[in-house]
Amino acid sequence: MEMTIIHGQGHHGSTYYITSMIKERLAGSDVQVHEYYMPQDAPAFCAGCFQCIQKGEKYCPQAEKVQKIVASMLRSEVIAIDSPTYCLEMTGQLKTLVDHLGYMWMSHRPRKEMFTKIGLVVSTAAGAGAGKVAKSMANQMFWWGIPEIYRVHFSVNASCWEDVPEKIKKKIRQRAEKVSRNVKSKIGYAKPVLKTIFFFNIMRKMQQSNNWNLADRNYWQGNKWLDRARPWK
Ligand SMILES: Cc1cc2nc3c(=O)[nH]c(=O)nc-3n(C[C@H](O)[C@H](O)[C@H](O)COP(=O)(O)O)c2cc1C
């Protein structure tokens, strides 16, 4: 089993510790974990050149950094993304990476592999906003086609892990325990939910009349998704 973890921050704070707790509960001798840190492993900002969407992802000026992470995601059964809450949003450096993945949204060229993966998102805030950030990261995963996404978010009442009250740490440990059990039980069994199928079909309709982006249209045709084939079959 392989797992990719994208840390939306470069430091080891509360968010990192929660993700690590889940990682440790999932990891066994047969688990290979690939971890990336933003901004250390992050590409530069999207320049808005549209090369990835209109020509192909390899034409992105940041392709080398982006595709290294994508290759690791495609190999992994579990993909985790974490981010502390900054001004009620995910960190800017994480947003920079996910902007580069717009080409593989269901509305463009989603990867077949994504439709059977398990996603995990983790966020913390001192007070408010962690739920919103978790939802926002889960939304990115949904549009890549990931069917099963677990959200973990906590208001930790602190600016660093050491100051998180023991009562909250206890709740975090319990949640980490439960989520890792759920993730383990789903590995190899994740299937698209109705919402995924619904939006895939809308995108399929759109691609049937797509004469404005041939890279996308040819991709859907090449995968036979405009016929009877589906990415999860
Ligand atoms: C720039 C910045 C913005 C922040 N914005 C919020 C916020 O909108 N809501 C909140 O409750 N906490 C906010 N915080 C606090 C952090 O989200 C919180 O302490 C979090 O647990 C830090 O996670 P970390 O230890 O993984 O870095 C902010 C912190 C920073 C540095």
Side-chain angles (χ1 to χ4, degrees):
M1 199 288 263
E2 292 189 48
M3 176 179 187
T4 293
I5 304 177
I6 299 167
H7 297 287
Q9 70 289 343
H11 61 278
H12 291 180
S14 304
T15 318
Y16 170 87
Y17 280 111
I18 297 176
T19 308
S20 298
M21 251 183 224
I22 300 172
K23 175 186 83 174
E24 279 158 24
R25 282 159 176 77
L26 287 177
S29 53
D30 60 335
V31 180
Q32 222 184 317
V33 184
H34 314 283
E35 293 189 65
Y36 300 92
Y37 293 84
M38 307 296 122
Q40 293 92 321
D41 300 308
F45 299 114
C46 169
C49 65
F50 275 90
Q51 296 290 297
C52 64
I53 291 174
Q54 290 174 342
K55 268 178 90 179
E57 56 271 27
K58 67 178 182 196
Y59 297 99
C60 168
Q62 297 296 318
E64 200 180 320
K65 284 196 158 172
V66 175
Q67 291 309 315
K68 186 176 169 205
I69 300 175
V70 171
S72 162
M73 288 162 73
L74 294 177
R75 284 200 311 271
S76 299
E77 281 86 349
V78 181
I79 299 174
I81 305 182
D82 66 18
S83 172
T85 301
Y86 284 176
C87 306
L88 300 181
E89 305 286 351
M90 68 177 81
T91 62
Q93 57 267 36
L94 177 60
K95 182 62 167 55
T96 295
L97 173 68
V98 299
D99 285 348
H100 281 291
L101 305 179
Y103 77 87
M104 62 177 198
W105 270 39
M106 259 191 272
S107 46
H108 293 289
R109 300 189 304 278
R111 293 295 303 246
K112 187 177 192 293
E113 297 89 330
M114 289 289 174
F115 290 82
T116 49
K117 293 193 188 298
I118 299 163
L120 167 71
V121 293
V122 178
S123 182
T124 67
K132 181 174 178 279
V133 171
K135 186 174 178 192
S136 177
M137 295 187 291
N139 196 36
Q140 295 293 327
M141 288 185 167
F142 171 80
W143 282 101
W144 302 337
I146 298 183
E148 188 85 31
I149 304 164
Y150 293 90
R151 298 185 203 177
V152 176
H153 49 88
F154 278 94
S155 295
V156 292
N157 203 11
S159 58
C160 66
W161 181 243
E162 290 70 32
D163 292 344
V164 177
E166 190 47 45
K167 208 170 131 195
I168 297 178
K169 281 187 176 166
K170 191 176 165 204
K171 281 192 185 152
I172 291 172
R173 281 193 291 272
Q174 286 168 345
R175 180 86 179 114
E177 206 53 70
K178 188 169 178 214
V179 166
S180 33
R181 264 201 315 273
N182 288 343
V183 170
K184 262 187 191 165
S185 73
K186 286 284 179 181
I187 293 171
Y189 300 102
K191 279 202 294 259
V193 289
L194 268 181
K195 188 178 163 196
T196 311
I197 296 171
F198 176 77
F199 279 99
F200 181 87
N201 284 334
I202 291 181
M203 297 306 136
R204 182 174 170 269
K205 277 259 168 276
M206 193 180 78
Q207 291 300 336
Q208 279 170 338
S209 56
N210 173 0
N211 50 16
W212 60 89
N213 183 337
L214 285 182
D216 285 359
R217 165 102 193 202
N218 291 342
Y219 180 83
W220 280 69
Q221 258 167 351
N223 278 298
K224 301 195 170 23
W225 294 341
L226 300 183
D227 304 320
R228 301 199 132 231
R230 295 292 177 269
W232 51 87
K233 281 186 186 163

